[in-house]
Amino acid sequence: MTSYEPDPRRWKALAVSLTAGFMGLLDVSIVNVALPSMQSGLHASSGGIRWVVSGYALAFGLVLVTGGRLGDAFGRRTMFLGALAAFVATSALAGAAPNETMLVLARLAQGVAAGMLTPQNTGLIQDLFRGAERGRAFGMFGAVVGISTAVGPILGGVILAVFGGEDGWRWVFYVNVPIGVLAFGLALRLLPRSEKRHLRIRDEIDFVGIVLLAVAVLGVLLPVVESDQGGLVRLWWLFPIALVFGTAFVRWEHRVVRHGRSPLLDTRLFTGTPGYAVGASVGALYFCGFAGIWLVFAMFFQQGLGYSPLQSGLSVTPFALGSAVSAAIAGRLVPRFGRKLTVTGLALVALGLLAVALIAELVPPAAAGWAFALPLLVAGVGGGMVISPNTTLTLECVPVRMAGVAGGALQTGQRIGTAIGTAVLASVFGAVVGAASGYPTALTVALSCAALLTCGALALAVAELRARRHREQASEQEREAREAHTSAADVQRG
């Protein structure tokens, strides 16, 4: 066995890969403040423009595990460079889109490129780092995941302020081009060449699973996205189809595992790995509530209060600041406090969102931005305590041979949660506004839904905390029983 020799350029390579990964994750939320400008500039429907967010997140989530498999097959460096080039090209296409249809198609393609790019980050971390350094590197990746989503609305507002409201939304996409080109050049120099594994793509890539899961999620998502245009009534028949395809997906994944091939989602993770199923569910539910609030805030501030995109982005700055600071601290506290961190964080997020929902009905609209600052800061501090610690705790018992699949499946749930949550919360907001109830009431209802989803994640986290304590007590009792048995045997021999 050859000894491990650390690559002297590993931290520079990590910085480049995380920069590219940050762009892909940032594009989940950065477009939210630009959606009103897109809608007016392209004369797009509200349902269609929501696909700019939901379609990207959906495409992103559906190819994450596949992207990891392809990285194994063709090498991390090769896949990283190819996916980054595709992300830059599709960003340019989205910026140049002449109509709603082309924009949505470009965003779907951009989501696929980002989904292929992101798993190369975790793969490179596993290749380049060992021991404590690997833990630090994964902590940095977890912070990037959380912070990128929170700061997106702020950066989007700045870009629109610089380039103007009419066509400034195009630069939300164009800005990826120079950064991506620079990252591509640095990646060519710094990323190590990895050995290619000679894999049979048919056995390694679960194409049937991808199709079954895509149809199941689409069957749920499409009626919700179109709900303000009668989608729930017109497209209700998609829900039973989604149930059929979802059931078929689970049965197919069991079959793939039995035949010794690589599944899209290894069902053994949920049955044989302590804490994984609950941790993955916590992440998916949290992103359902968390990721959708940025679009709701953008519509409330810009359409309801007449804020500029920059003012809208700055209004949610307290959340981003709180999230950035607490994410940096929480990553170091996981070994000491464990699941208590995510329980506390989820409680703070729910408390902050409910406080904003209440304040929206009590304060004059002109004072809303300042009135929301403190509860958004509380929610942001809580948000920074959720994502990175939950990732670490969910994956800690996963066998090494399944680590890549487990990480991809965890992020797949988060991205699908983002797609569904954005569609649901925006649809709720639009429906309340359409009922002539006013923008403050619409914000209250939408944020109450987000808080309810967060409370669902909180209930699961509390259940996992208790189960973890029971496992630790059982392990301690078993250890004491073994020691007592050993002592008794020693006495008999004596």
Side-chain angles (χ1 to χ4, degrees), residues 289-310:
F290 158 73
I293 65 174
W294 309 118
L295 178 53
V296 167
F297 275 125
M299 292 190 294
F300 172 76
F301 284 121
Q302 294 182 53
Q303 297 176 352
L305 304 187
Y307 281 25
S308 70
L310 178 57

Side-chain angles (χ1 to χ4, degrees), residues 66-243:
T66 303
R69 298 283 186 210
L70 292 175
D72 289 338
F74 300 111
R76 299 290 177 198
R77 183 177 185 271
T78 301
M79 276 301 299
F80 181 93
L81 293 172
L84 179 56
F87 183 78
V88 170
T90 52
S91 296
L93 287 174
N99 53 52
E100 171 191 337
T101 301
M102 289 302 299
L103 178 58
V104 171
L105 290 175
R107 281 287 281 175
L108 289 171
Q110 191 188 27
V112 171
M116 292 290 181
L117 180 64
T118 299
Q120 312 317 320
N121 281 300
T122 54
L124 285 167
I125 289 172
Q126 289 176 321
D127 291 343
L128 291 172
F129 299 95
R130 298 289 187 276
E133 282 193 344
R134 180 180 286 182
R136 287 172 53 198
F138 271 118
M140 293 171 66
F141 176 72
V144 164
V145 173
I147 294 171
S148 61
T149 307
V151 303
I154 304 169
L155 294 181
V158 171
I159 290 171
L160 264 73
V162 171
F163 293 101
E166 185 175 349
D167 286 325
W169 65 267
R170 298 185 183 276
W171 286 94
V172 169
F173 303 114
Y174 285 148
V175 74
N176 290 329
V177 176
I179 299 174
V181 169
L182 177 61
F184 188 92
L186 291 173
L188 276 174
R189 292 180 51 198
L190 296 172
L191 295 189
R193 296 182 182 274
S194 56
E195 294 183 6
K196 300 178 183 179
R197 291 169 54 197
H198 296 288
L199 303 177
R200 294 182 62 190
I201 298 300
R202 177 179 173 274
D203 292 335
E204 288 292 325
I205 308 300
D206 182 11
F207 293 107
V208 174
I210 293 170
V211 172
L212 291 174
L213 181 60
V215 174
V217 174
L218 195 64
V220 174
L221 194 61
L222 188 57
V224 173
V225 171
E226 298 289 329
S227 62
D228 60 346
Q229 298 177 6
L232 292 176
V233 176
R234 289 186 295 106
L235 302 173
W236 64 268
W237 49 271
L238 285 175
F239 289 119
I241 289 179
L243 180 62

Side-chain angles (χ1 to χ4, degrees), residues 26-45:
L26 184 71
D27 265 47
V28 175
S29 63
I30 193 173
V31 301
N32 286 323
V33 295
L35 289 183
S37 299
M38 292 179 200
Q39 188 170 357
S40 61
L42 297 177
H43 305 291
S45 65

